[in-house]
Amino acid sequence: MARLGKINHRHRLVPNFRRPGYTHPMSDQNLYIVLGIVGAVLAAALFFFLRRRPSSPGTHQSVRYAPPSPASPSATQQSVRSAPAAPAPKRDLTVGLSKSAQFLQGAIDKLFSHSEGAAFFSDLEETLVTADLGIEFTERLVTSLRKDLGLKVPSREELKARLSQALNVAFPELPLPTALDGATLPQKPWVIMMVGVNGVGKTTTTGKLCSRFRAQNRKVIVGAADTFRAAASEQLQAWVERTGAEGVFQKEGADPAAVAFDAVQAAQNRGADVCIVDTAGRLHTKHNLMDELAKVKRVMAKASTTGAAPAPHEVWLTVDGTTGQNALHQAREFHKALTLTGIVITKLDGSARGGIVIPIVEELKVPVVLVGVGEGVDDLLVFDRTQFLQGLLAAL
Ligand code: GDP
């Protein structure tokens, strides 16, 4: 018994650890196994802890900036707060034009693989018109190519060079308001009237503009003169709240000219830098839209009591870049009625029809001022002619 151990006061056998052959439950071997298991559990716990922890803003990559819904300010504010601090991807006109460039490339590929001799030139004509470059531009280019080459089919490089040359002539560099980039305002308040048919992205562009001017620390007043659509006012209200602008709103169905008048006066009285008046693309009454907009424009001039020139100082037409020739027809009509000073082309991100910019500018000699390349607040670019031409011809 003494070899095995002693009996303690509770009459239990206390093992004799020193006896030969005795193995303590925590022998070296068992101890290593237990330590190994504990270590593995701790390592696994640490691994899961680190995976769940948000990474530091500078290295944040998995969370994308969600374009806020202008219709719900609270959602908007939330998504802005949760936006990563990492720099947003560069928004570039060439990226916005990628679909148009691919379309042109595909059409030219097909042309070179299918057409020869005299048929080449008529197919080229069809290709360029389909790419929305305009009938007049196309006819001029094809006539001059025929004159110089006879029936000889140009090489692809030759065609690209001639196309680029012709576009440079047809598409002149027109001056843009530098105030868009933060330079001194041409007027104070600088009054911009936004026009365009329903659904083209007029109200969204007005909101994005608010954001741009507010980021330049400018005081902005918005007039919600699209009183036909209650949703337009709500949409603008949300943009106004999230950008820290001020708004002039009236109930649905109110006279749009009255809203525009109040907005210009408010901008003057409150010392605003910029006043943007969003107008309707459709009307309650059977009145002609153009007559009504011409009236709104006249009333804005009447409201002007300060500044060298009467308001509006800019009349910008928004066209939907996915609609091709329709955009050109709208530009003609609106220019005739209102004397446009600028074109905003939206939705280029989803369009293969960016070429439409060429006939609009060529025919009307009105500059494209802004380009919409998405629904997010930053998806509005000041137009850059060089970048546009490079982007359009990039894939040729
Ligand atoms: P309005 O009737 O002319 O005021 O048009 P809205 O501003 O209400 O816009 C109509 C739709 O076009 C909305 O769903 C906008 O989010 C969308 N939109 C506006 N601009 C752009 C753009 O540049 N790209 C894309 N993809 N969608 C746009």
Side-chain angles (χ1 to χ4, degrees):
M1 173 61 86
R3 273 190 66 229
L4 292 176
K6 289 181 195 159
I7 302 292
N8 69 5
H9 64 283
R10 287 190 182 151
H11 306 286
R12 287 196 181 128
L13 178 68
V14 177
N16 180 0
F17 301 130
R18 292 203 181 111
R19 77 174 197 272
Y22 172 79
T23 316
H24 189 279
M26 277 294 170
S27 66
D28 283 356
Q29 200 182 355
N30 288 347
L31 190 65
Y32 288 139
I33 292 170
V34 170
L35 282 177
I37 291 168
V38 170
V41 170
L42 283 175
L46 190 65
F47 173 75
F48 284 112
F49 172 73
L50 287 177
R51 266 181 58 121
R52 286 178 63 87
R53 209 174 59 128
S55 48
S56 66
T59 58
H60 207 300
Q61 284 183 351
S62 58
V63 179
R64 277 189 60 233
Y65 174 71
S69 153
S72 86
S74 54
T76 295
Q77 282 153 11
Q78 206 159 5
S79 61
V80 166
R81 270 199 298 273
S82 63
K90 191 171 175 289
R91 286 169 176 84
D92 182 294
L93 190 49
T94 50
V95 177
L97 272 171
S98 58
K99 287 204 170 103
S100 305
Q102 278 162 21
F103 178 80
L104 192 58
Q105 180 201 26
I108 300 277
D109 282 349
K110 197 167 153 215
L111 177 73
F112 275 98
S113 62
H114 286 76
S115 309
E116 294 174 336
F120 178 88
F121 291 98
S122 51
D123 290 350
L124 173 65
E125 220 168 275
E126 197 184 314
T127 302
L128 298 181
V129 171
T130 318
D132 288 306
L133 298 187
I135 293 170
E136 283 174 28
F137 169 81
T138 302
E139 278 179 356
R140 251 194 338 268
L141 174 65
V142 174
T143 308
S144 100
L145 273 174
R146 268 200 172 123
K147 191 165 146 255
D148 296 348
L149 301 175
L151 282 184
K152 184 175 158 274
V153 171
S155 69
R156 198 173 171 125
E157 288 67 40
E158 219 172 334
L159 179 64
K160 183 176 176 181
R162 292 290 291 255
L163 187 56
S164 160
Q165 205 179 28
L167 283 174
N168 267 303
V169 176
F171 191 57
E173 176 94 67
L174 298 173
L176 299 182
T178 49
L180 282 170
D181 284 319
T184 318
L185 293 168
Q187 299 275 332
K188 189 177 162 167
W190 189 36
V191 182
I192 304 167
M193 178 180 180
M194 302 292 286
V195 298
V197 302
N198 252 13
V200 288
K202 204 170 0 89
T203 307
T204 308
T205 304
T206 303
K208 290 175 183 173
L209 268 175
C210 269
S211 170
R212 172 175 275 266
F213 288 129
R214 289 295 299 131
Q216 294 165 357
N217 228 0
R218 284 171 161 151
K219 181 168 171 149
V220 181
I221 290 192
V222 177
D226 182 356
T227 53
F228 177 77
R229 282 195 311 140
S233 268
E234 283 163 24
Q235 218 175 315
L236 263 188
Q237 178 88 49
W239 281 105
V240 160
E241 280 173 21
R242 70 179 291 227
T243 56
E246 292 173 38
V248 172
F249 298 96
Q250 278 191 26
K251 61 180 186 316
E252 193 183 345
D255 179 6
V259 181
F261 186 92
D262 288 353
V264 173
Q265 285 221 318
Q268 290 170 168
N269 297 341
R270 296 185 216 163
D273 297 303
V274 182
C275 171
I276 313 172
V277 175
D278 184 33
T279 61
R282 207 150 27 112
L283 299 170
H284 299 269
T285 59
K286 286 200 168 32
H287 278 140
N288 181 294
L289 176 67
M290 296 304 163
D291 290 347
E292 190 66 31
L293 290 175
K295 177 181 151 200
V296 171
K297 191 180 169 194
R298 282 196 305 275
V299 167
M300 284 166 81
K302 279 196 188 138
S304 304
T305 49
T306 60
H313 309 113
E314 305 287 343
V315 183
W316 290 350
L317 170 72
T318 304
V319 290
D320 178 335
T322 62
T323 60
Q325 292 299 308
N326 253 349
L328 176 61
H329 298 314
Q330 288 162 18
R332 277 185 193 134
E333 291 301 303
F334 276 85
H335 192 44
K336 206 159 56 178
L338 299 165
T339 315
L340 304 174
T341 62
I343 307 279
V344 178
I345 180 149
T346 57
K347 311 186 193 180
L348 269 200
D349 49 308
S351 170
R353 317 197 68 175
I356 195 63
V357 167
I358 309 284
I360 293 180
V361 173
E362 186 182 13
E363 188 178 320
L364 306 184
K365 304 282 181 291
V366 173
V368 174
V369 280
L370 294 161
V371 179
V373 290
E375 294 178 272
V377 66
D378 295 326
D379 295 331
L380 185 70
L381 307 172
V382 175
F383 186 74
D384 181 324
R385 172 185 174 271
T386 311
Q387 223 176 60
F388 177 83
L389 290 179
Q390 275 169 3
L392 193 63
L393 302 179
L396 283 193

